[in-house]
Amino acid sequence: MDLVFRQARLDDAAPLMDVAIAGGKIAGIGPKLECRGVTEIDAKGRVLIPGLIESHLHLEKAYVMHRRPNRSGTLMEAIAATAALKPTFTREDIAARSRRVLRQLVGFGSTHVRAHAEFDPAQGFAGFDTVLELRREFAEVIDIQVVAFPQEGILKAPGTGAIPPMIDRVGIPSVWESIAANEREALMRPLPGPRIYHPVPSMAHFLNQCF
């Protein structure tokens, strides 16, 4: 076996169990497995659970609050603050902050993450390309699903419309259709006062693309 956990707690109502892993899959579970593993870990009664999943994360925007604080604590100010900061991000800066986040995720037990990587005319593909590189770098400890995400919009950000073919060529899921649909709705159906858009149908379509 590649890996054997000894005396792990799977259920409070059951005895402690050994769990054997081979080829990345569970090959055996029992109170005292006779097999040996290349690596063996004595769980000492600790709980053994599947890896955790972080389903929504923006790696390239992590750890920047001190650079431009969100004084109001609102989503709109957060978006505005990061939009102002993005042109200052370098690949080295993004990589350093993203590695810090990924190491924390792994340390807390996450084995899968969906990273929404931004691209737009202001920052180009700096964040997007860096996240793709980190996906390869961390492949042995965490699976990173990269989603192409045009945060600044498509219709309202000149030049963004030329980007989708480049995204398609690397086979990355995107939220392109949902964002474009929301922007078209905003342009076609102006409402008095504050406007709130609920992208539920489009997001459902996006999730179907990802799984």
Side-chain angles (χ1 to χ4, degrees), residues 84-143:
L85 287 172
K86 278 190 293 186
T88 70
F89 295 167
T90 64
R91 290 175 183 262
E92 294 75 19
D93 172 39
I94 294 169
R97 290 184 287 102
S98 297
R99 286 191 183 97
R100 181 181 172 189
V101 177
L102 290 169
R103 289 181 182 126
Q104 283 189 320
L105 286 173
V106 172
F108 285 117
S110 294
T111 55
H112 294 77
V113 58
R114 175 182 289 157
H116 292 69
E118 292 190 22
F119 59 90
D120 55 55
Q123 68 169 342
F125 284 90
F128 183 82
D129 288 341
T130 302
V131 174
L132 287 180
E133 292 169 4
L134 292 172
R135 180 174 67 172
R136 293 187 288 271
E137 180 180 329
F138 283 79
E140 292 188 1
V141 292
I142 189 167
D143 290 330

Side-chain angles (χ1 to χ4, degrees), residues 1-8 17-23 25-44 48:
M1 296 294 173
D2 299 324
L3 172 65
V4 177
F5 293 95
R6 300 290 183 186
Q7 298 300 283
M17 295 286 182
D18 293 348
V19 180
I21 310 294
K25 297 181 179 180
I26 296 175
I29 299 176
K32 291 185 179 181
L33 296 179
E34 296 182 0
C35 61
R36 294 295 174 186
V38 176
T39 300
E40 297 205 1
I41 297 175
D42 184 359
K44 298 180 180 180
L48 180 64

Side-chain angles (χ1 to χ4, degrees), residues 189-208:
R189 299 179 58 189
L191 300 175
R195 291 178 287 178
I196 301 175
Y197 299 99
H198 303 279
V200 175
S202 299
M203 186 56 70
H205 173 71
F206 156 60
L207 292 174
N208 287 334

